[in-house]
Amino acid sequence: MNAYESRPLLYLSRQHDAALCRFLTQQGWKLLFARSREELDRLPLSHQPMAGLWDLHNGFDEDDLDAYEPWFGLGHIGWVGLVSSLDSVPAGPRRLLGMHFADYHTQPCDMEAVARSLGHAFGMAHLRHANASTAGLRSSAPHGMIGRCDAMQDLFRAIGKVAKWDAPVLIAGESGSGKELAAQAIHSASRRGSGPFVAVNCAAIPPTLLLSELFGYERGAFTGALKRKPGRIEMAHGGTLFLDEIGDMPLESQTSLLRFLETGRIERLGGTESISIDARIVSATHVDLEAAVAAERFRSDLYHRLCVLRVKQPPLRERDGDIILLAEHILNDIRKQSPDRIKGFSPAAIRAINAHSWPGNVRELLNRIRHAAAMCENGVVNPADLDLEPPAETRPLTLAEIREAAELHAIKAALQRHHERLIDVAEELGISRVTLFRMMREHRLQVRKGELGMVCLQG
Ligand SMILES: Nc1ncnc2c1ncn2[C@@H]1O[C@H](COP(=O)(O)OP(=O)(O)O)[C@@H](O)[C@H]1O
Ligand SMILES: [Mg+2]
């Protein structure tokens, strides 16, 4: 079905304008009505893209603003506002208009213009929805890893490449950044994918037990060894052995591990039989292994054996745009199991999430959102539920500032499209070259010197 065949429109107003309703219906919009926040909450809405029309002209309850806010932040609804005049709109709703709305119209409105804006808003909502679903499907992302930013795309490519080889891989990255997930992804995509994936956390097992965990033991090898037990290396035969937090491995175990890596054979503790094991080693560390080698806490020969291939896991704070994507994904998962209706993050929560530095990475994000989902009221997650500082209140932009930003954006984009050929830029923007020069000077835009037809502006 063509996505534009049925265009749902959510019309939020105390008093619906009958003439406008008729006109919009004729234009192919399928109208859903809500007169209050309660009615809005009761609507049987799917997550399909739709347009939204918020009528501030016919009055609304300012006390309800906090409850409306999450609705305006929803990516799959493209909003347009109806106001009496912009001056009559109080600061709170004006901020919302500026932040979340594709457009607004003053009453009495030009119905065709409103329909056009709704069309644009719907188109953008459709686009956001399609992007979100692609991320949700994670078609290119291995093993359920979420990430659209450049850093994660680089990681996915690196995972794809190292998966083709059978050499040891070292994954470096901060705690909670997803190293184990990356290790599983490498395993799944490798020729060993159908074999076992055995993880050993070298930091979590007491040093005295690590050797027996890794190599196993024979009956009677030590007091308490009542029967033979195969070690983790043996269990990984035919698959991948994931050595997590390898930087914390005691030197004694390092020596035994090195012997296995060199010979491909192990002996169980207390045993004499030498067993050949075919396992690929993927290891991970949050510590700087080179520094550990320099400090003689880590054997340099083992280090070189382990990091034939290297993968760097980016910390969450460097994943531009992905933090919210991950947060929404996590909340969506929780939503499915939640006894209460969870609507989403308030815009303040989204700003707080973006402003936080995430020292605990994805694990911290998971924990904060799980906590917040349980603590939030009315289904809206606020900064306090996440235990995050509320972000500094941003002043709503003035009309002049909005216009100036739009002007700068339009000029820059046109310059890029026309390879900085000013005659074409001026023509496209519908202004004279003199006006273009003046505007560029005001915006401190310079054009690179050199090519014919280009001008260099100083200043
Ligand atoms: N890109 C990602 N997409 C989805 N979930 C992730 C991602 N990265 C990490 N996680 C989740 O975050 C948690 C911590 O990841 P983990 O791989 O254990 O981190 P590390 O091994 O680096 O400490 C896990 O629950 C994991 O599923
Ligand atoms: Mg880990």
Side-chain angles (χ1 to χ4, degrees), residues 173-181 201 242 244-245 284-286 363:
E174 294 177 15
S175 279
S177 59
K179 297 187 293 296
E180 181 150 0
L181 219 50
N201 187 335
F242 175 53
D244 201 0
E245 303 303 359
T285 177
H286 75 280
R363 188 171 296 122

Side-chain angles (χ1 to χ4, degrees), residues 30 35 46 82 110 153 187-188 321 332 347 357 368 386 388 455:
K30 201 168 129 243
R35 270 183 308 238
S46 66
L82 287 178
D110 169 352
Q153 293 300 318
H187 168 71
S188 305
N332 246 336
S357 65
R368 282 190 193 263
L386 291 156
L388 291 176
V455 176

Side-chain angles (χ1 to χ4, degrees), residues 283-295:
S283 42
T285 177
H286 75 280
V287 301
D288 180 350
L289 266 194
E290 274 122 30
V293 169

